[in-house]
Amino acid sequence: MILVTGGAGFIGSNFTLDWLAAGGEPVVNLDLLTYSGNLGNLEALRGDARHRFVRGDIGDRASVAKLLAEHRPRAVVNFAAETHVDRSIHGPDAFVKTNVLGTFELLEAVRAHWTALPSGEREAFRFLQVSTDEVYGTLAPDAPGFAETTPYAPNSPYSASKAASDHFVRAAFHTFGLPTLTTNCSNNYGPRQFPEKLIPLMIANALAGKPLPVYGDGMQVRDWLYVSDHCSAIRAVLARGRPGEVYNIGGNAEMPNLDVVRTICAVLARERPGRDYAALVTHVKDRPGHDRRYAIDPTKVRREIRWEPSETFTSGIAKTVRWYLDNAAWLDSVQTREYQSWISLQYEPAH
Ligand code: NAD
Ligand code: TYD
């Protein structure tokens, strides 16, 4: 079996569902259920003996050690993290706690467990760290995409905390020989993404007839990857990646934010006509320290892992909008009081 952390969040739940659908081993899913974790994301697995959910903190070394001893997973895939850049600007503490200290505690528990395994199991074991391209900082408009050799230069408290955790993963390989893999992935989108991130926020606001808040000039560029492609990349790296290596994963879909928002409006106009969605676009104050451009050089993962994304932005965004239209109850259920207070803190100018 495998241990997935953060598997009630956006990417972790998609990964767990896809992994089991692809015939993968049973999953033990450790998640703290913070504001972005939601058991509703795993509803399709209710009663499925191949999935066991455990509510807990990756930073609780003793509990993680117990789980490892009980289930003896052959791999750990670490998705658990605080993930929203804007929240890291308002309150970086939680990012240090989970992303830096939590990952460190998790690694220590895993290392102790791995050290005691019989030699065949030790060699086959993998710890996969799910990281982000944001650790590389920002790119000039014409610069080549981030390669695995690009120096880390994080600019937000979020990316700084992810960078720190990646360094501990690297050190666990180099110093102790723990068979680690690290993936640095570009921006994901798709079903079950919490509506604080650009794409689901825009879909939710557009459906509610609320303004679509574009930071600054909206010309910041991201490389968008449909979530099931990220999940297939992680499965491929877990199967074929070399211990100690880093793999950058992207969607070959660089686009300025304004184009992303306009595309969402166009898909909505087709799927749910009757409102001028594009008229809701509103430019708001820019994010402090806002990275201008991210892009991935996918050469290594393509050559070594033989992985490529299968969705284009056009196909992926159509599926994504459709999912949010078909899952209005999910969207409703995650817009809690906590969510409303985040939205007013972040978007109401009085703050
Ligand atoms: P998310 O915020 O939707 O989910 C995070 C999950 O982690 C939640 O279920 C939450 O409850 C859980 N969690 C938080 N703190 C925890 C703790 N201390 N112990 C156990 N569980 C905890 O995030 P996501 O978008 O699914 O991101 C998952 C991973 O992928 C993160 O590590 C993130 O850095 C990375 N990543 C995300 C993107 C993206 O575009 N979303 C891109 C590249 C990499
Ligand atoms: P986000 O989804 O927060 O991902 P990240 O900051 O990790 O790339 O934001 C994606 C881009 O969209 C980023 O350039 C910031 C911008 N953005 C807005 O313009 N308005 C918004 O309300 C949000 C949440 C993001």
Side-chain angles (χ1 to χ4, degrees):
M1 71 152 48
I2 64 166
L3 173 64
V4 167
T5 72
F10 164 49
I11 306 173
S13 63
N14 277 285
F15 177 82
T16 303
L17 292 164
D18 288 4
W19 172 269
L20 291 173
E25 301 105 313
V27 173
V28 176
N29 187 342
L30 174 68
D31 193 298
L32 190 56
L33 297 181
T34 65
Y35 76 91
S36 71
N38 177 1
L39 279 181
N41 290 342
L42 298 161
E43 188 56 33
L45 296 175
R46 186 194 283 267
D48 190 325
R50 297 170 305 163
H51 178 246
R52 175 162 168 221
F53 182 79
V54 179
R55 186 173 192 177
D57 190 335
I58 57 165
D60 179 350
R61 196 190 299 193
S63 299
V64 174
K66 242 176 89 188
L67 265 189
L68 292 169
E70 185 185 347
H71 296 286
R72 298 177 68 86
R74 63 131 174 129
V76 174
V77 185
N78 183 30
F79 293 94
E82 289 292 334
T83 60
H84 191 35
V85 172
D86 294 320
R87 290 194 192 238
S88 82
I89 296 167
H90 285 280
D93 309 53
F95 290 73
V96 174
K97 184 160 185 280
T98 284
N99 301 1
V100 186
L101 300 173
T103 304
F104 171 73
E105 294 293 336
L106 174 69
L107 271 173
E108 285 298 279
V110 169
R111 183 163 74 83
H113 172 74
W114 169 79
T115 305
L117 289 175
S119 72
E121 282 180 51
R122 266 168 68 96
E123 270 150 42
F125 189 86
R126 296 288 182 270
F127 179 95
L128 192 148
Q129 166 75 353
V130 180
S131 191
T132 165
D133 62 355
E134 303 192 22
V135 296
Y136 297 118
T138 189
L139 286 170
D142 301 326
F146 300 127
E148 290 76 3
T149 48
T150 303
Y152 272 32
N155 290 321
S156 72
Y158 164 64
S159 54
S161 68
K162 290 295 288 186
S165 56
D166 294 359
H167 290 325
F168 279 105
V169 173
R170 178 189 164 92
F173 171 76
H174 282 275
T175 303
F176 304 112
L178 183 72
T180 61
L181 298 161
T182 300
T183 54
N184 290 94
C185 187
S186 62
N187 286 61
N188 284 216
Y189 67 101
R192 301 178 200 86
Q193 185 168 30
F194 193 75
E196 64 188 354
K197 305 278 165 60
L198 178 73
I199 289 179
L201 177 86
M202 294 298 166
I203 298 172
N205 282 15
L207 289 173
K210 293 182 182 160
L212 308 181
V214 170
Y215 296 161
D217 63 2
M219 295 311 289
Q220 304 84 2
V221 172
R222 300 291 183 263
D223 173 5
W224 293 95
L225 180 69
Y226 190 66
V227 63
S228 63
D229 278 329
H230 187 189
C231 296
S232 77
I234 292 171
R235 295 199 301 275
V237 169
L238 199 54
R240 299 192 283 282
R242 288 179 292 133
E245 292 292 316
V246 173
Y247 299 93
N248 287 358
I249 299 168
N252 307 324
E254 269 189 68
M255 213 180 302
N257 293 337
L258 256 184
D259 287 3
V260 170
V261 175
R262 287 186 181 135
T263 306
I264 293 168
C265 293
V267 176
L268 279 172
R270 203 170 63 220
E271 296 275 339
R272 178 88 35 111
R275 177 175 269 148
D276 183 359
Y277 298 103
L280 298 170
V281 170
T282 309
H283 289 264
V284 301
K285 196 166 149 290
D286 207 351
R287 170 189 282 172
H290 198 168
D291 287 334
R292 201 68 190 162
R293 175 174 169 245
Y294 302 141
I296 292 279
D297 172 355
T299 312
K300 183 175 176 183
V301 74
R302 192 186 288 154
R303 278 213 192 120
E304 280 192 23
I305 307 294
R306 299 180 307 284
W307 174 87
E308 300 248 24
S310 58
E311 300 286 347
T312 61
F313 188 73
T314 308
S315 64
I317 198 68
K319 285 187 183 179
T320 303
V321 170
R322 190 71 257 162
W323 188 88
Y324 282 88
L325 288 173
D326 291 344
N327 291 275
W330 180 94
L331 191 53
D332 245 27
S333 73
V334 300
Q335 295 186 338
T336 58
R337 193 174 295 182
E338 191 282 338
Y339 177 75
Q340 303 301 344
S341 56
W342 163 251
I343 294 296
S344 60
L345 176 67
Q346 174 65 8
Y347 297 98
E348 282 165 19
H351 292 281

